[in-house]
Structures are given as C-alpha cells and as structure tokens.
Amino acid sequence: MKPARIVFPAFWFGKSSLQEAIELARRGVGGFCVYGGKAQQILDFVHRMQDVSPYGSLLFCADMADNLHEVITDAPRLPTNPQIVACPANQDAAYRKGYMTARMALAAGLNWVLAPVVDLGYNSPAFSDNPLQVTKLTGDFIAGLSNGGALNCIKYFPGISGVLKTLPQLEDAEFVPYKHLFRRADAVMPSDMIFPNIDNDNQAMLSDKVLLGLLKKRLNYKGCIVSFPLCKGRLRYEEASAVKMLHGKVETILAPKHAHPVIDAIEREVSKGFLLDEITHAVSNHEMFLSKISSGPEPLPIQEAFAQAEKDFKKKQVEFTIPKNNLFV
C-alpha cells in the first residue's frame, strides 16, 4: 500500500512541471486535479500519467464551480446554473447539463467532476438559494453526471451562507441539500472557511467538530470526504494540515501546493503506525470509484462530445434568458 495514493496533486497547464508530475505519478499518487488546459492537452497528460503510474488506472479531477469551461478552456460554455433556474420551462436542463458535462470531461480523460456546489446565496454558483430547489436541480445534475459516466462531489460543507448562523438555522437551510443528496453523492468537500458558531478555531476542512461531529455523527454521512483543494486554501502548514485532515476522516488530499512534502508527512505518520486503517479504507473507495467509471459509457472523441453538447443546448437556446452570442464560445 502506497500512502501517496490518497494524494491528488494539482497540474496547471502552462505553469506546472511535467517532469515533477511524472515523478509523482511514478511515486504512486492516486490521480491529479487539472486546471486550465485544452482538451487534447489534458487527454495527452492523462495518457502520460497512466503510462508511468504503477497502477492500472488513475482518477483525474475537474475542479469546477459551475462550468467545465473553467477547467477545459476550449470546451463549449453551457448555461450557468442560475440561468437554468431562470428558465423553469426547460425542466430537464440541469440533467442535460450534468450529462453533457460528463461526456465532455470523459472525452478529455477527466473522470471525477468536483461539482456541484450546493451553497445557498452569496453569489454562489449553486442552482438557487432555495434549499428544496437546490436539492431537486442538484439531484438532476448528479443523475446526468452519473449517466454520462463521471463521478461527482457536492461542496462546500457546511455551506458558506451559514458562516454566521447557529446550528438550528443551518439545519433548516444549508444542511437540507446534503441530507437529501448524501446517498447519491460520490464525495463531499468541506469548506476552507471558519464557522464560528461551530468551531471558532479551525477551518471547516480541519475541524473535528465539523467533519466528525456534524458531517459524520449528526448528519450520519458514511461516504467519502475529500479535502478542499489545498492550493486554494488559506493554509499555514500544508503538511501538518493534510495529516490532521486524514485523522479527521478526510480520504483524499486534493491539489497540494507542494505534493512531495505532503506525501512525505503522510508516510512519516504511517511509519509511526497511524492512519493505516484510514488509508486502506480510502484506497478501497478509490477502487470502487474506478470500477464504477469502468462500467459506464465509453468516452467519445473530443470534438464529437463538444459538438453533441453544443447542439443539445443550442436547439433550446431561445428558452434561456441570455443573449445568443453569450451561450457558447
């Protein structure tokens, strides 16, 4: 068992070192979070990492908020989640967006879409600020992702709109989508923010009160927890934070700024006899995810997937309350 397998380094096209990525793949990381590449670039990168990895398959994550175009820069822009809500007549739009997002992601070699966001309000890319509407449309989007062959991740627990709320207030609003979607979620991602009415000392992704007390115990979530991308989080000590998260039942460390030192820290913890059960369980979940993906539909060629997505939404384009030339690029 390689502890490195629970670490998914970030790879930024045009910024990150390909040689370092190759070294990390050979070291045994479980996958990568990719950012800002064209589809063919990403697919070539995926094939290169698979070739040098000691494993048969890896997981490749698209860390997006609302639109896959954020990650695959030449992918067509699909309607935003708020635009879908603004067009209630188009009842299956959330499902179709999820399905087309999955088909485009898989065409570029990405099999884990780190979406959707279910935060309420505060200019969130969620479908709505209404908990039940978010639950319904997010469920449709997840169903589309699943049928399209991609994994999902609901985020950012417990919801940034609840930063100043009490626990009963969170129960009535922010927790609603999570409680209804847990069984359909492949993973949950905690927030990198502090929720002072729950834990005034730790960011949610580092808080035992949030992860163990709320998510695992109070809400009875039994599935996979992944970290907030460390390269985006406001972390002082990345290595120590990664180890702390693993002790808090986070199973996958996403996008550390410095992957090798994080892996070193995890390996030191394992050498002391800690985290063995946690890593074994996490790897088992990853194997289950890979099995789920392999049983799904085959990826389409890139241009075919893009054309299919563009055609699917263009034929109903008139229903969206946005100018024609802004729907796709």
Side-chain angles (χ1 to χ4, degrees):
M1 177 192 67
K2 290 180 178 288
R5 194 165 180 183
I6 61 170
V7 178
F8 287 48
F11 189 85
W12 299 80
F13 287 88
K15 298 179 183 179
S16 298
S17 163
L18 179 60
Q19 185 56 44
E20 183 177 0
I22 290 172
E23 292 170 4
L24 288 165
R26 286 175 174 159
R27 189 170 180 179
V29 296
F32 289 84
C33 293
V34 304
Y35 297 90
K38 291 186 176 181
Q40 189 60 54
Q41 286 180 302
I42 294 172
L43 186 60
D44 292 343
F45 173 78
V46 166
H47 289 159
R48 187 71 182 274
M49 297 304 106
Q50 296 275 27
D51 287 343
V52 299
S53 171
Y55 313 126
S57 299
L58 297 175
L59 293 164
F60 291 89
C61 303
D63 180 19
M64 57 173 269
D66 189 321
N67 216 294
L68 190 63
H69 181 84
E70 301 162 30
V71 176
I72 305 176
T73 57
D74 56 342
R77 288 184 190 269
L78 302 183
T80 67
N81 293 339
Q83 286 165 350
I84 286 174
V85 174
C87 183
N90 202 347
Q91 296 181 0
D92 66 341
Y95 172 87
R96 290 189 294 111
K97 181 178 179 180
Y99 182 81
M100 293 303 171
T101 296
R103 301 309 289 149
M104 291 192 292
L106 257 65
L110 307 181
N111 44 30
W112 196 348
V113 175
L114 300 179
V117 176
V118 296
D119 289 344
L120 309 177
Y122 287 95
N123 295 318
S124 166
F127 284 102
S128 170
D129 58 4
N130 179 297
L132 293 179
Q133 191 173 35
V134 167
T135 300
K136 197 275 179 191
L137 292 174
T138 298
D140 291 347
F141 180 84
I142 287 174
L145 280 179
S146 179
N147 289 342
L151 301 170
N152 67 73
C153 175
I154 55 176
K155 59 188 186 183
Y156 302 93
F157 185 83
I160 60 172
S161 57
V163 165
L164 300 178
K165 290 185 178 180
T166 63
L167 191 54
Q169 289 173 324
L170 286 166
E171 289 271 13
D172 290 341
E174 280 72 17
F175 290 174
V176 171
Y178 288 99
K179 288 188 287 187
H180 283 85
L181 295 169
F182 276 159
R183 291 189 178 182
R184 303 170 68 180
D186 293 311
V188 169
M189 182 186 293
S191 172
D192 70 329
M193 299 181 70
I194 291 176
F195 293 75
N197 288 325
I198 301 172
D199 185 344
N200 196 39
D201 299 317
N202 296 287
Q203 295 164 278
M205 64 180 179
L206 293 169
S207 171
D208 287 347
K209 292 178 182 178
V210 172
L211 300 180
L212 299 177
L214 275 183
L215 188 55
K216 287 288 188 180
K217 187 174 181 180
R218 189 180 184 101
L219 299 183
N220 198 33
Y221 176 63
K222 300 184 183 301
C224 175
I225 305 174
V226 301
S227 78
F228 187 91
L230 270 58
C231 64
K232 296 181 178 180
R234 298 175 290 275
L235 293 176
R236 214 169 189 184
Y237 306 105
E238 195 174 51
E239 297 93 331
S241 295
V243 170
K244 179 175 174 59
M245 280 187 272
L246 293 173
H247 280 291
K249 304 304 180 184
V250 170
E251 294 185 6
T252 302
I253 303 299
L254 298 178
K257 292 178 182 176
H258 307 289
H260 282 296
V262 167
I263 296 170
D264 291 341
I266 296 169
E267 289 179 343
R268 286 194 297 270
E269 197 74 357
V270 170
S271 70
K272 298 174 188 175
F274 300 116
L275 297 178
L276 294 171
D277 290 342
E278 288 84 352
I279 292 174
T280 299
H281 183 265
V283 170
S284 176
N285 259 348
H286 291 171
E287 292 287 354
M288 179 187 68
F289 289 160
L290 289 166
S291 176
K292 180 177 178 180
I293 293 163
S294 66
S295 65
E298 288 293 319
L300 296 171
I302 291 169
Q303 292 309 315
E304 184 177 341
F306 285 7
Q308 188 181 92
E310 199 163 14
K311 179 181 178 182
D312 183 81
F313 276 95
K314 273 189 173 177
K315 65 185 180 183
K316 292 194 175 183
Q317 188 173 333
V318 69
E319 298 179 10
F320 293 98
T321 55
I322 49 178
K324 183 176 180 179
N325 61 355
N326 286 345
L327 184 51
F328 298 102
V329 294

